[in-house]
Each structure stands twice: as structure tokens, then as C-alpha cells.
Amino acid sequence: MIRRAAMPAFLAAVALTLTAGCSGGGTAAKPGEPVPVDDRQSPAAVKGETLEGEQLDLASYDGKVVVVNFWASWCGPCRAEAPALEATYQENKDEVAFLGVDIKDTRDGAKAFVRKYGNSYPSLFDPEGKITQSFSSVNPGALPTTLILDREGRVAVQFPGMVSKARLDPALAKIVAER
């Protein structure tokens, strides 16, 4: 009897914990909406090895708007959004940089994902989630998550969950238009 009576409270506590863990993080704006400039935060130093084994430093994109997508080959929504991300990259690559961060994955799985979905922008390989921790102020640990960084490298927009081209394109245009 006591166990049965405690079950609703236990389930409520679990639901609250899961909701907090999957929230959009610490941005001061609704998902997909620009964060007010004064509230934007820069991630810690972000650098690592790409899927191809080359070193890449986010600082090399200084002065450019950057779309950062956190993904994994085993993530269904990541697979679903991959074509939209590639299409947006192809349309904007002269003005906007794209960077994937493959987390908690195998290199072989990640490379197969890139081949299958044709992603032509680089992805950092982050099997232990260390690079992801550099963005802890916005909690991109839930997959997928897509961020738009402004020209100063600050998180300007966050999309927790799967992003569509219809949502990404206008948000990206707003940040590109900032000077």
C-alpha cells in the first residue's frame, strides 16, 4: 500500500528531472528566436579532431556566423534533419560556416552517416562529450541541438530538438543581417 501511494510522487519527480535535463538550456530567448545581444554567451575554447582526423578550432571562423549542429549517427531526429542542414549550408556557405559535433558515437558510425546524408561541412568527433561541455551555458547535450553563433562567436539562437529548413533559414538570416 505504501509503495502504491508513493508511486505518483515518484513519477512526478522523474518527469520533472527529465524535463529539466531536456530543456533548452540557459538562453534568454525562446527556441529558434535570437537571444538579446547583451545576454549572449561565448562557449569555452572549442577545438578538436574532425571525423577525418584533422585538427579544427572554432576560433578559425572568427568574424563569421557559424551554425553548430550536435548530432550522432544513432539519433533518428538527427538523420531526419541532416538533408535540411546540408541544403541550408549549400545555400549559405559563402557567408556562413557550418560545423557538426558528433557526440557519443563511433567514428565508423559517424563516417557512414556523413556518407549516407552527404554532409559536406566538417564535424568534430566528440565520443566522450568533452567538446559539448564547452557549450554548457546552453546545454546542447540533448540530440539533436543546433546553435547559431554570431560574428563574435556568441550563441545567438538555439534550436533544441530537430530543426527544419523553414525554421533555420529565417533565424540564420536575422543573425547574418546583424553587423
Side-chain angles (χ1 to χ4, degrees):
M1 292 290 192
I2 295 174
R3 286 186 187 158
R4 193 174 285 210
M7 187 57 76
F10 172 75
L11 292 174
V14 168
L16 182 61
T17 300
L18 291 174
T19 302
C22 295
S23 70
T27 61
K30 293 179 187 175
E33 293 295 322
V35 175
V37 174
D38 291 341
D39 293 340
R40 295 180 186 173
Q41 297 179 22
S42 297
V46 176
K47 52 185 154 185
E49 188 175 280
T50 66
L51 294 176
E52 294 75 31
E54 300 170 1
Q55 292 299 309
L56 190 143
D57 189 337
L58 183 62
S60 68
Y61 297 128
D62 190 40
K64 283 195 117 175
V65 172
V66 182
V67 174
V68 181
N69 176 253
F70 296 86
W71 64 277
S73 64
W74 46 262
C75 166
C78 299
R79 292 189 292 266
E81 74 177 4
L85 289 165
E86 179 63 21
T88 300
Y89 169 66
Q90 289 299 327
E91 291 170 7
N92 295 280
K93 66 183 178 183
D94 292 336
E95 196 168 9
V96 177
F98 272 60
L99 177 64
V101 180
D102 173 48
I103 68 172
K104 305 210 185 236
D105 206 348
T106 65
R107 193 178 297 267
D108 288 343
K111 285 182 172 183
F113 177 99
V114 167
R115 278 192 306 275
K116 181 175 182 174
Y117 295 101
N119 296 88
S120 58
Y121 51 87
S123 282
L124 293 172
F125 183 56
D126 190 21
E128 297 173 7
K130 292 180 181 178
I131 295 167
T132 305
Q133 291 173 2
S134 299
F135 292 89
S136 63
S137 66
V138 291
N139 187 26
L143 294 179
T145 293
T146 302
L147 307 175
I148 301 174
L149 308 182
D150 66 16
R151 295 182 198 294
E152 294 182 29
R154 302 171 301 183
V155 177
V157 180
Q158 179 180 11
F159 294 95
M162 192 172 96
V163 66
S164 66
K165 191 166 177 8
R167 289 182 64 218
L168 180 58
D169 286 352
L172 186 57
K174 286 179 186 176
I175 303 308
V176 168
E178 294 177 352
R179 293 291 172 182

